[in-house]
mmCIF file of all heavy atoms in Angstrom:
data_model
loop_
_atom_site.group_PDB
_atom_site.id
_atom_site.type_symbol
_atom_site.label_atom_id
_atom_site.label_comp_id
_atom_site.label_asym_id
_atom_site.label_seq_id
_atom_site.Cartn_x
_atom_site.Cartn_y
_atom_site.Cartn_z
ATOM 1 N N MET F 14 62.085 150.546 73.918
ATOM 2 C CA MET F 14 63.424 149.850 74.065
ATOM 3 C C MET F 14 63.748 149.095 72.866
ATOM 4 O O MET F 14 62.890 148.317 72.400
ATOM 5 C CB MET F 14 63.383 148.996 75.339
ATOM 6 C CG MET F 14 64.705 148.269 75.592
ATOM 7 S SD MET F 14 64.610 147.241 77.029
ATOM 8 C CE MET F 14 64.425 148.534 78.296
ATOM 9 N N PRO F 15 64.935 149.188 72.276
ATOM 10 C CA PRO F 15 65.262 148.453 71.105
ATOM 11 C C PRO F 15 65.340 146.937 71.428
ATOM 12 O O PRO F 15 65.737 146.494 72.453
ATOM 13 C CB PRO F 15 66.643 148.974 70.684
ATOM 14 C CG PRO F 15 67.193 149.555 71.950
ATOM 15 C CD PRO F 15 66.060 150.062 72.714
ATOM 16 N N LEU F 50 95.109 102.567 78.251
ATOM 17 C CA LEU F 50 94.167 101.400 78.051
ATOM 18 C C LEU F 50 94.789 100.240 77.336
ATOM 19 O O LEU F 50 94.633 99.091 77.701
ATOM 20 C CB LEU F 50 92.915 101.939 77.336
ATOM 21 C CG LEU F 50 91.727 100.989 77.220
ATOM 22 C CD1 LEU F 50 91.160 100.642 78.563
ATOM 23 C CD2 LEU F 50 90.675 101.616 76.297
ATOM 24 N N SER F 63 101.409 88.452 89.516
ATOM 25 C CA SER F 63 102.737 88.007 89.897
ATOM 26 C C SER F 63 103.052 88.215 91.373
ATOM 27 O O SER F 63 103.792 87.513 91.940
ATOM 28 C CB SER F 63 103.806 88.703 88.982
ATOM 29 O OG SER F 63 103.855 90.095 89.274
ATOM 30 N N LYS F 68 97.234 81.915 96.359
ATOM 31 C CA LYS F 68 96.839 81.580 97.714
ATOM 32 C C LYS F 68 95.346 81.677 97.858
ATOM 33 O O LYS F 68 94.743 82.610 97.403
ATOM 34 C CB LYS F 68 97.582 82.550 98.673
ATOM 35 C CG LYS F 68 97.194 82.380 100.133
ATOM 36 C CD LYS F 68 97.836 83.442 100.974
ATOM 37 C CE LYS F 68 97.499 83.277 102.456
ATOM 38 N NZ LYS F 68 98.120 84.384 103.208
ATOM 39 N N THR F 89 92.330 88.952 92.786
ATOM 40 C CA THR F 89 93.307 90.072 92.454
ATOM 41 C C THR F 89 93.158 90.512 91.067
ATOM 42 O O THR F 89 93.257 91.723 90.720
ATOM 43 C CB THR F 89 94.753 89.594 92.729
ATOM 44 O OG1 THR F 89 94.879 89.214 94.102
ATOM 45 C CG2 THR F 89 95.722 90.683 92.367
ATOM 46 N N ASN F 96 90.593 98.526 89.487
ATOM 47 C CA ASN F 96 91.567 99.595 89.759
ATOM 48 C C ASN F 96 91.953 100.367 88.531
ATOM 49 O O ASN F 96 91.999 101.605 88.568
ATOM 50 C CB ASN F 96 92.765 98.997 90.532
ATOM 51 C CG ASN F 96 93.775 99.990 90.804
ATOM 52 O OD1 ASN F 96 94.952 99.827 90.417
ATOM 53 N ND2 ASN F 96 93.458 101.010 91.542
ATOM 54 N N VAL F 105 89.869 110.170 81.798
ATOM 55 C CA VAL F 105 89.293 110.537 80.507
ATOM 56 C C VAL F 105 88.201 111.564 80.626
ATOM 57 O O VAL F 105 88.200 112.599 79.944
ATOM 58 C CB VAL F 105 88.790 109.257 79.755
ATOM 59 C CG1 VAL F 105 87.914 109.664 78.511
ATOM 60 C CG2 VAL F 105 89.916 108.392 79.320
ATOM 61 N N PHE F 122 75.447 129.781 75.092
ATOM 62 C CA PHE F 122 75.216 131.163 74.669
ATOM 63 C C PHE F 122 74.733 131.215 73.252
ATOM 64 O O PHE F 122 73.942 132.102 72.852
ATOM 65 C CB PHE F 122 76.565 131.960 74.786
ATOM 66 C CG PHE F 122 76.425 133.369 74.457
ATOM 67 C CD1 PHE F 122 75.929 134.299 75.400
ATOM 68 C CD2 PHE F 122 76.716 133.878 73.156
ATOM 69 C CE1 PHE F 122 75.804 135.623 75.076
ATOM 70 C CE2 PHE F 122 76.629 135.187 72.889
ATOM 71 C CZ PHE F 122 76.155 136.106 73.779
ATOM 72 N N ALA F 123 75.096 130.225 72.409
ATOM 73 C CA ALA F 123 74.686 130.194 71.015
ATOM 74 C C ALA F 123 73.314 129.655 70.830
ATOM 75 O O ALA F 123 72.825 129.612 69.730
ATOM 76 C CB ALA F 123 75.681 129.391 70.210
ATOM 77 N N PHE F 125 72.073 126.582 72.408
ATOM 78 C CA PHE F 125 71.920 125.164 72.751
ATOM 79 C C PHE F 125 71.169 125.059 74.138
ATOM 80 O O PHE F 125 71.598 125.736 75.044
ATOM 81 C CB PHE F 125 73.208 124.450 72.818
ATOM 82 C CG PHE F 125 73.690 123.943 71.443
ATOM 83 C CD1 PHE F 125 74.192 124.876 70.541
ATOM 84 C CD2 PHE F 125 73.660 122.604 71.111
ATOM 85 C CE1 PHE F 125 74.658 124.494 69.346
ATOM 86 C CE2 PHE F 125 74.121 122.190 69.895
ATOM 87 C CZ PHE F 125 74.604 123.156 68.969
ATOM 88 N N ARG F 126 70.171 124.216 74.218
ATOM 89 C CA ARG F 126 69.505 124.013 75.483
ATOM 90 C C ARG F 126 70.440 123.300 76.461
ATOM 91 O O ARG F 126 71.135 122.393 76.056
ATOM 92 C CB ARG F 126 68.245 123.203 75.300
ATOM 93 C CG ARG F 126 67.127 123.968 74.599
ATOM 94 C CD ARG F 126 65.818 123.136 74.622
ATOM 95 N NE ARG F 126 64.754 123.862 74.083
ATOM 96 C CZ ARG F 126 63.439 123.446 74.052
ATOM 97 N NH1 ARG F 126 63.221 122.227 74.565
ATOM 98 N NH2 ARG F 126 62.524 124.194 73.568
ATOM 99 N N THR F 129 69.860 119.611 76.562
ATOM 100 C CA THR F 129 70.502 118.905 75.455
ATOM 101 C C THR F 129 71.968 118.646 75.693
ATOM 102 O O THR F 129 72.522 117.534 75.537
ATOM 103 C CB THR F 129 70.335 119.729 74.161
ATOM 104 O OG1 THR F 129 68.986 119.892 73.846
ATOM 105 C CG2 THR F 129 71.039 119.020 72.954
ATOM 106 N N MET F 135 76.090 112.975 79.191
ATOM 107 C CA MET F 135 75.868 111.662 79.904
ATOM 108 C C MET F 135 75.880 110.556 78.909
ATOM 109 O O MET F 135 76.464 109.482 79.235
ATOM 110 C CB MET F 135 74.544 111.719 80.653
ATOM 111 C CG MET F 135 74.551 112.610 81.882
ATOM 112 S SD MET F 135 75.970 112.310 83.014
ATOM 113 C CE MET F 135 75.725 110.565 83.474
ATOM 114 N N ALA F 150 87.563 93.925 80.271
ATOM 115 C CA ALA F 150 87.051 92.604 80.489
ATOM 116 C C ALA F 150 87.595 91.605 79.467
ATOM 117 O O ALA F 150 87.851 90.448 79.827
ATOM 118 C CB ALA F 150 85.508 92.645 80.478
ATOM 119 N N ALA F 166 79.212 88.619 84.362
ATOM 120 C CA ALA F 166 78.990 89.318 85.660
ATOM 121 C C ALA F 166 80.196 90.289 85.866
ATOM 122 O O ALA F 166 79.992 91.436 86.397
ATOM 123 C CB ALA F 166 78.913 88.294 86.759
ATOM 124 N N LEU F 169 79.688 93.379 83.814
ATOM 125 C CA LEU F 169 78.710 94.286 84.401
ATOM 126 C C LEU F 169 79.259 95.071 85.589
ATOM 127 O O LEU F 169 79.008 96.235 85.737
ATOM 128 C CB LEU F 169 77.458 93.509 84.813
ATOM 129 C CG LEU F 169 76.634 92.914 83.650
ATOM 130 C CD1 LEU F 169 75.433 92.116 84.201
ATOM 131 C CD2 LEU F 169 76.069 94.066 82.767
ATOM 132 N N ASN F 191 91.988 123.149 89.574
ATOM 133 C CA ASN F 191 93.259 122.770 88.957
ATOM 134 C C ASN F 191 93.245 121.285 88.517
ATOM 135 O O ASN F 191 92.616 120.425 89.193
ATOM 136 C CB ASN F 191 94.467 123.012 89.879
ATOM 137 C CG ASN F 191 94.536 124.441 90.356
ATOM 138 O OD1 ASN F 191 94.524 125.298 89.486
ATOM 139 N ND2 ASN F 191 94.640 124.690 91.647
ATOM 140 N N LEU F 204 92.623 103.988 93.805
ATOM 141 C CA LEU F 204 93.578 102.952 94.407
ATOM 142 C C LEU F 204 93.057 102.524 95.766
ATOM 143 O O LEU F 204 93.015 101.307 96.084
ATOM 144 C CB LEU F 204 94.969 103.639 94.545
ATOM 145 C CG LEU F 204 95.814 103.699 93.259
ATOM 146 C CD1 LEU F 204 97.074 104.536 93.569
ATOM 147 C CD2 LEU F 204 96.206 102.327 92.780
ATOM 148 N N ASN F 211 90.117 93.914 98.523
ATOM 149 C CA ASN F 211 90.814 92.658 98.329
ATOM 150 C C ASN F 211 91.380 92.080 99.594
ATOM 151 O O ASN F 211 92.269 92.722 100.226
ATOM 152 C CB ASN F 211 91.931 92.870 97.270
ATOM 153 C CG ASN F 211 92.566 91.582 96.826
ATOM 154 O OD1 ASN F 211 92.312 90.495 97.395
ATOM 155 N ND2 ASN F 211 93.361 91.683 95.842
ATOM 156 N N LYS F 220 85.360 93.710 106.624
ATOM 157 C CA LYS F 220 84.808 94.463 107.660
ATOM 158 C C LYS F 220 83.561 95.249 107.047
ATOM 159 O O LYS F 220 83.633 95.657 105.954
ATOM 160 C CB LYS F 220 85.749 95.401 108.278
ATOM 161 C CG LYS F 220 86.958 94.708 108.944
ATOM 162 C CD LYS F 220 86.503 93.816 110.073
ATOM 163 C CE LYS F 220 87.734 93.186 110.779
ATOM 164 N NZ LYS F 220 87.321 92.309 111.868
ATOM 165 N N MET F 232 82.230 94.969 93.369
ATOM 166 C CA MET F 232 83.110 93.904 93.787
ATOM 167 C C MET F 232 82.354 92.712 94.300
ATOM 168 O O MET F 232 82.610 91.548 93.943
ATOM 169 C CB MET F 232 84.042 94.437 94.869
ATOM 170 C CG MET F 232 85.203 93.435 95.174
ATOM 171 S SD MET F 232 86.408 93.354 93.841
ATOM 172 C CE MET F 232 87.617 92.250 94.571
ATOM 173 N N TRP F 246 72.056 91.038 92.327
ATOM 174 C CA TRP F 246 71.758 92.247 91.605
ATOM 175 C C TRP F 246 71.632 93.436 92.421
ATOM 176 O O TRP F 246 71.968 94.603 91.956
ATOM 177 C CB TRP F 246 70.400 92.032 90.847
ATOM 178 C CG TRP F 246 70.466 90.942 89.797
ATOM 179 C CD1 TRP F 246 69.933 89.693 89.889
ATOM 180 C CD2 TRP F 246 71.183 90.969 88.523
ATOM 181 N NE1 TRP F 246 70.195 88.938 88.800
ATOM 182 C CE2 TRP F 246 70.967 89.665 87.898
ATOM 183 C CE3 TRP F 246 71.876 91.931 87.884
ATOM 184 C CZ2 TRP F 246 71.441 89.414 86.707
ATOM 185 C CZ3 TRP F 246 72.424 91.640 86.625
ATOM 186 C CH2 TRP F 246 72.216 90.366 86.057
ATOM 187 N N ARG F 247 71.266 93.332 93.691
ATOM 188 C CA ARG F 247 71.181 94.513 94.544
ATOM 189 C C ARG F 247 72.457 95.189 94.669
ATOM 190 O O ARG F 247 72.544 96.449 94.760
ATOM 191 C CB ARG F 247 70.634 94.049 95.917
ATOM 192 C CG ARG F 247 70.428 95.210 96.881
ATOM 193 C CD ARG F 247 69.621 94.719 98.097
ATOM 194 N NE ARG F 247 70.360 93.720 98.892
ATOM 195 C CZ ARG F 247 71.126 94.056 99.912
ATOM 196 N NH1 ARG F 247 71.294 95.329 100.292
ATOM 197 N NH2 ARG F 247 71.736 93.125 100.630
ATOM 198 N N ALA F 256 77.121 105.942 90.999
ATOM 199 C CA ALA F 256 77.299 106.655 89.700
ATOM 200 C C ALA F 256 76.235 107.688 89.464
ATOM 201 O O ALA F 256 76.590 108.816 89.064
ATOM 202 C CB ALA F 256 77.254 105.601 88.535
ATOM 203 N N THR F 271 77.271 126.654 83.128
ATOM 204 C CA THR F 271 77.057 126.870 81.705
ATOM 205 C C THR F 271 75.835 127.693 81.459
ATOM 206 O O THR F 271 75.280 127.764 80.346
ATOM 207 C CB THR F 271 76.955 125.566 80.913
ATOM 208 O OG1 THR F 271 75.925 124.759 81.551
ATOM 209 C CG2 THR F 271 78.276 124.815 81.065
ATOM 210 N N ARG F 272 75.261 128.303 82.487
ATOM 211 C CA ARG F 272 74.071 129.146 82.268
ATOM 212 C C ARG F 272 74.349 130.263 81.339
ATOM 213 O O ARG F 272 75.377 130.924 81.439
ATOM 214 C CB ARG F 272 73.554 129.732 83.656
ATOM 215 C CG ARG F 272 72.761 128.708 84.467
ATOM 216 C CD ARG F 272 72.204 129.368 85.670
ATOM 217 N NE ARG F 272 73.325 130.000 86.479
ATOM 218 C CZ ARG F 272 73.085 130.736 87.577
ATOM 219 N NH1 ARG F 272 71.889 130.991 88.023
ATOM 220 N NH2 ARG F 272 74.152 131.227 88.249
ATOM 221 N N THR F 277 67.846 139.521 78.562
ATOM 222 C CA THR F 277 66.545 139.215 78.053
ATOM 223 C C THR F 277 66.057 140.290 77.140
ATOM 224 O O THR F 277 66.603 141.456 77.141
ATOM 225 C CB THR F 277 65.513 139.031 79.226
ATOM 226 O OG1 THR F 277 65.512 140.261 79.977
ATOM 227 C CG2 THR F 277 65.962 137.883 80.051
ATOM 228 N N ARG F 278 65.038 140.000 76.340
ATOM 229 C CA ARG F 278 64.515 140.987 75.405
ATOM 230 C C ARG F 278 63.880 142.165 76.265
ATOM 231 O O ARG F 278 63.116 141.879 77.191
ATOM 232 C CB ARG F 278 63.443 140.381 74.541
ATOM 233 C CG ARG F 278 64.060 139.457 73.492
ATOM 234 C CD ARG F 278 62.932 138.893 72.608
ATOM 235 N NE ARG F 278 63.495 137.950 71.597
ATOM 236 C CZ ARG F 278 64.008 138.293 70.480
ATOM 237 N NH1 ARG F 278 64.048 139.533 70.106
ATOM 238 N NH2 ARG F 278 64.490 137.343 69.687
#
Side-chain angles (χ1 to χ4, degrees):
M14 180 179 293
L50 188 64
S63 65
K68 178 183 177 181
T89 300
N96 177 237
V105 167
F122 183 82
F125 277 72
R126 289 188 174 185
T129 299
M135 288 309 301
L169 290 176
N191 300 311
L204 283 171
N211 188 350
K220 301 297 182 181
M232 189 72 177
W246 295 107
R247 180 167 68 94
T271 57
R272 282 184 302 175
T277 56
R278 290 183 182 274

